[in-house]
């Protein structure tokens, strides 16, 4: 079946750098996308979302970009901090269905 | 984690025993979900419920059972028929099945030996 995937399983950055985490999706009918952050041993926490009628959305230090032409989603974290170290998941959703999660990218921030 | 409680945090069982994982919420959400997470993997949907006394199978329902007798509670039973039960189990809620954002509980790590 169709599923959401991530380009890289791990990403290592220096504190203060900007981080970009990528995600490819295959279901063109998906109309909503979410990024979650999961710290070790905890449940995922909502970071930011975007609907398919948008191509960019900004939050506090985070930006999500959606490119529907190539079915690509990215999460940008500005001035990455050690507390940002976690596993990041993208998820897609169609109205009335359950979320489909990607496998996750582990972000490691060194100071 | 908000108003979602999963207990216990760690659970150990012998092979061949059924075990029930608890999920309670006080968010007044209609929809509840159970996911399984294995190391290095994403979340896979086991069961979900849109309303009391109704639930649907997810992608990996075999070897699991659920009930939804109350809006606040959605317990998951891992039966002896589940071949690889050791995993991290996550419960989530949403205000409705058409509500996109899901809120997750802290999870229960089940180890079966």
């Amino acid at each position: 079946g169709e599923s959401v995937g991530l380009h890289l399983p791990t990403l290592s950055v220096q504190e203060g750098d900007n981080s970009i985490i990528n995600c490819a999706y295959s279901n063109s009918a998906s109309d909503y996308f979410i990024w979650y952050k999961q710290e070790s041993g905890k449940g995922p926490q909502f970071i930011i979302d975007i609907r398919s009628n948008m191509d960019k959305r900004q939050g506090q230090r985070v930006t999500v970009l959606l490119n529907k032409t190539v079915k690509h989603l990215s999460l940008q974290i500005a001035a990455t901090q050690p507390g940002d170290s976690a596993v990041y998941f993208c998820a897609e959703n169609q109205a009335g269905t359950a979320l489909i999660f990607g496998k996750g990218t582990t972000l490691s921030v060194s100071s | 984690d908000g108003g979602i409680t999963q207990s216990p945090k760690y659970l150990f069982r012998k092979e061949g025993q059924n075990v029930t994982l608890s999920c309670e919420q006080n968010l007044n959400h209609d929809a509840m979900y159970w996911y399984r997470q294995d190391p290095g993997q994403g979340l896979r949907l086991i069961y979900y419920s849109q309303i009391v006394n109704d639930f649907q199978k997810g992608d990996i329902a075999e070897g699991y059972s659920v009930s939804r007798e109350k809006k606040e509670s959605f317990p998951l039973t891992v039966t002896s028929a589940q071949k690889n039960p050791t995993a991290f189990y996550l419960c989530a809620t949403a205000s409705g099945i058409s509500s996109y954002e899901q809120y997750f509980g802290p999870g229960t790590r089940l180890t079966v030996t």
Side-chain angles (χ1 to χ4, degrees):
Chain A
E2 296 175 298
S3 63
V4 176
L6 286 166
H7 291 301
L8 292 174
T10 61
L11 177 64
S12 297
V13 300
Q14 293 285 322
E15 182 177 1
D17 286 352
N18 295 332
S19 302
I20 300 176
I21 301 171
N22 296 306
C23 175
Y25 67 95
S26 58
N27 190 343
S28 57
S30 293
D31 55 7
Y32 182 74
F33 304 87
I34 308 177
W35 281 100
Y36 283 93
K37 172 185 179 183
Q38 185 178 25
E39 297 177 340
S40 181
K42 297 183 179 180
Q45 292 179 297
F46 172 89
I47 301 174
I48 193 168
D49 59 1
I50 189 168
R51 295 189 182 275
S52 59
N53 61 353
M54 304 171 67
D55 53 20
K56 181 178 179 179
R57 190 166 187 217
Q58 288 184 294
Q60 187 177 13
R61 284 202 305 119
V62 294
T63 301
V64 56
L65 299 177
L66 176 63
N67 185 330
K68 294 182 287 293
T69 302
V70 295
K71 298 178 185 173
H72 183 269
L73 190 68
S74 69
L75 176 70
Q76 300 179 2
I77 305 173
T80 311
Q81 303 168 359
D84 294 326
S85 294
V87 180
Y88 291 81
F89 293 95
C90 64
E92 63 178 312
N93 184 275
Q94 303 169 48
T97 67
L99 287 172
I100 301 172
F101 287 83
K103 292 186 177 181
T105 290
T106 300
L107 176 65
S108 299
V109 182
S110 53
S111 51
Chain B
D1 301 335
I4 304 170
T5 304
Q6 289 187 248
S7 60
K9 188 171 180 63
Y10 299 96
L11 192 55
F12 298 88
R13 281 294 183 270
K14 296 286 189 183
E15 189 175 340
Q17 293 179 335
N18 291 355
V19 58
T20 297
L21 281 60
S22 164
C23 178
E24 303 282 330
Q25 56 108 352
N26 62 4
L27 300 171
N28 200 34
H29 284 174
D30 286 319
M32 297 186 74
Y33 307 81
W34 273 106
Y35 292 91
R36 170 186 172 132
Q37 186 175 31
D38 294 286
Q41 300 294 314
L43 281 65
R44 293 186 289 169
L45 182 65
I46 305 173
Y47 268 98
Y48 64 100
S49 169
Q50 302 179 47
I51 198 169
V52 174
N53 292 324
D54 184 59
F55 48 83
Q56 286 80 40
K57 293 181 179 180
D59 299 323
I60 55 166
E62 184 176 352
Y64 300 98
S65 65
V66 293
S67 63
R68 187 83 187 278
E69 296 177 1
K70 299 185 301 181
K71 188 175 186 177
E72 301 80 16
S73 179
F74 190 42
L76 173 74
T77 297
V78 184
T79 75
S80 57
Q82 168 50 234
K83 296 180 180 179
N84 297 296
T86 295
F88 189 47
Y89 290 88
L90 287 157
C91 176
T93 73
S95 59
I97 193 64
S98 296
S99 175
Y100 296 108
E101 186 177 343
Q102 293 184 16
Y103 299 85
F104 285 85
T108 292
R109 187 167 299 280
L110 173 65
T111 302
V112 177
T113 57

